[in-house]
Amino acid sequence: MGKSSKQKVHVITMGCAKNVVDSEKLMAQLKLNDIEITANLDDADIAVINTCGFIEAAKQESIDMIIENVRLKASGKLKKVYAMGCLTERYMVDLQKEIPEVDRFFGSNEMPNVLKELGADYKYELLGERMLTTPKHFAYLKISEGCDNPCSFCAIPIMRGKHLGRPIEMIVDEAKRLVEQGVKELVVIGQDTTYYGLDTYGERRLPQLLQALADIDGVEWLRLMYAYPAKFPKDVLDVIAGHPHICKYMDMPVQHVSDPVLKSMRRGISKRVLHELIDEVRERVPGISLRTTLILGYPNEGEKEFVELLDFVNEVKFDRLGVFTYSLEEGTTAYDLGDPIPAEEKERRRAAIMEAQQAIAEENNQLLINTTQRVLIDRIDDGIYVGRTERDAPEIDNEVFVDAIQRLSVGEFIDVDIEDATQYDLFGRPKNEQRVPATP
């Protein structure tokens, strides 16, 4: 059967969780304008690609996705292709020249124009409405846009502009609507969540925001991501430690530890202060799971600076750790430093860091064997239930594989007896579940 006369829109999201939120809000606006959304590209007449421009690999993935959809248009499988987001904000002129088959490009803050192009009106009264693309039991909650930090390697301010926080009341209202849809875990995101409040209220108000969100009836887990370490608001720690619904978890991207590298990166913090902050976080929030990201191969990272970072990883023992290799980005203050470290050397350093982290992760996980962990079930794979503990953020951290006789539901919390562990996964059964021995 052919397609119906009513055109269907398929939205493709590239990049980070912040883009996920933008796409969900776009789809909600389209749906409320009576424009049909389809999750299947094969059923679509129009493709809208929400692009990422963070690092070279992400940019190439977005370009490849645009080209793939342009080919579908050329073959008659799509009528129109639009691109929006960070990549198009940054390289609008170049993209218009190089891929003219795209019907129109939009920047990262042009949702009203995207809607207008698609025949929809931007409904300001529906700013918090979302069409969730995550499993319905968790959702990302974006509290701000843009960034005021001067990090030398980062193009986010170029693509997203200066920091612009949302009022607490507006964020809480959106969170309540998400909970009404069945969301149990809210993952708080922004380019720099610890900056929250400075532009809107003249002071950092992340503690007050977290308290207000965690107090919402129905919020089981509240998780904090992207906590910038410089000028960290330490009163946040009391809120995390003191509220039963706030996960004892924090994502704090340190990027590096060598003072010369931190200074060139313009991170606004030193190795000594980083160490002191991490120690204080762990002291004031006992049992907290700390996640970080590192950049390997920054232009002035010599072998000495790299070894210093490797020693730091082995000493601090982050619970969760991700690594990016340095990407030379036009328009950033580090651009003039060039990219002197070969890709092979960057990869060697990345592999060494990840090898060290794997050993740390396996050691930490082995300690959880013969303990009972509260697990949120995310999905079912071949009859095995897969979930997470509060130590793990969705889509990026460890998972728990639960072998259960009883029927469990996605979005359900259950106590799990941990029986085995690998570097990044735990294995267990529901607590006190009775097992009948097999008949010989």
Side-chain angles (χ1 to χ4, degrees), residues 249-250 252 278 281-282 288-292 318-320:
Y249 174 103
M250 184 164 57
M252 179 191 292
I278 292 168
V281 169
R282 285 175 164 165
I288 190 170
S289 180
L290 270 181
R291 183 178 220 285
T292 196
F318 287 99
D319 300 273
R320 310 288 181 254

Side-chain angles (χ1 to χ4, degrees), residues 132-243:
L132 291 181
T133 57
T134 57
K136 67 177 184 178
H137 59 276
F138 77 82
Y140 298 104
L141 186 64
K142 186 158 65 169
I143 64 173
S144 61
E145 188 55 87
C147 186
D148 282 3
N149 293 309
C151 302
S152 66
F153 54 84
C154 185
I156 286 175
I158 299 171
M159 298 180 288
R160 290 285 185 174
K162 294 180 69 64
H163 184 278
L164 180 63
R166 303 168 62 204
I168 289 179
E169 297 78 13
M170 183 180 292
I171 298 170
V172 170
D173 284 346
E174 180 176 336
K176 287 179 177 177
R177 284 195 290 270
L178 290 169
V179 170
E180 289 170 359
Q181 295 179 47
V183 170
K184 298 178 180 179
E185 177 184 8
L186 293 171
V187 184
V188 175
I189 60 172
Q191 310 297 343
D192 172 8
T193 55
T194 48
Y195 191 95
Y196 178 79
L198 278 175
D199 61 320
T200 309
Y201 301 104
E203 62 181 8
R204 295 179 189 261
R205 289 200 181 177
L206 183 61
Q208 294 91 325
L209 174 63
L210 293 182
Q211 184 74 48
L213 291 171
D215 284 342
I216 296 172
D217 188 28
V219 172
E220 294 282 344
W221 280 356
L222 184 70
R223 187 180 303 279
L224 179 63
M225 307 294 290
Y226 311 121
Y228 194 82
K231 301 178 181 178
F232 184 90
K234 294 181 180 178
D235 46 352
V236 167
L237 301 177
D238 295 330
V239 179
I240 295 175
H243 204 295

Side-chain angles (χ1 to χ4, degrees), residues 270-284:
S270 66
K271 177 180 181 179
R272 177 184 62 80
V273 175
L274 262 178
H275 265 290
E276 291 174 352
L277 175 59
I278 292 168
D279 289 345
E280 185 168 356
V281 169
R282 285 175 164 165
E283 179 182 347
R284 291 173 62 176

Side-chain angles (χ1 to χ4, degrees), residues 4 6-10 35-38 43-47:
S4 65
K6 186 175 181 179
Q7 293 197 344
K8 298 179 182 179
V9 177
H10 177 69
I35 292 175
E36 190 168 355
I37 308 295
T38 177
D43 293 335
D45 302 287
I46 298 171

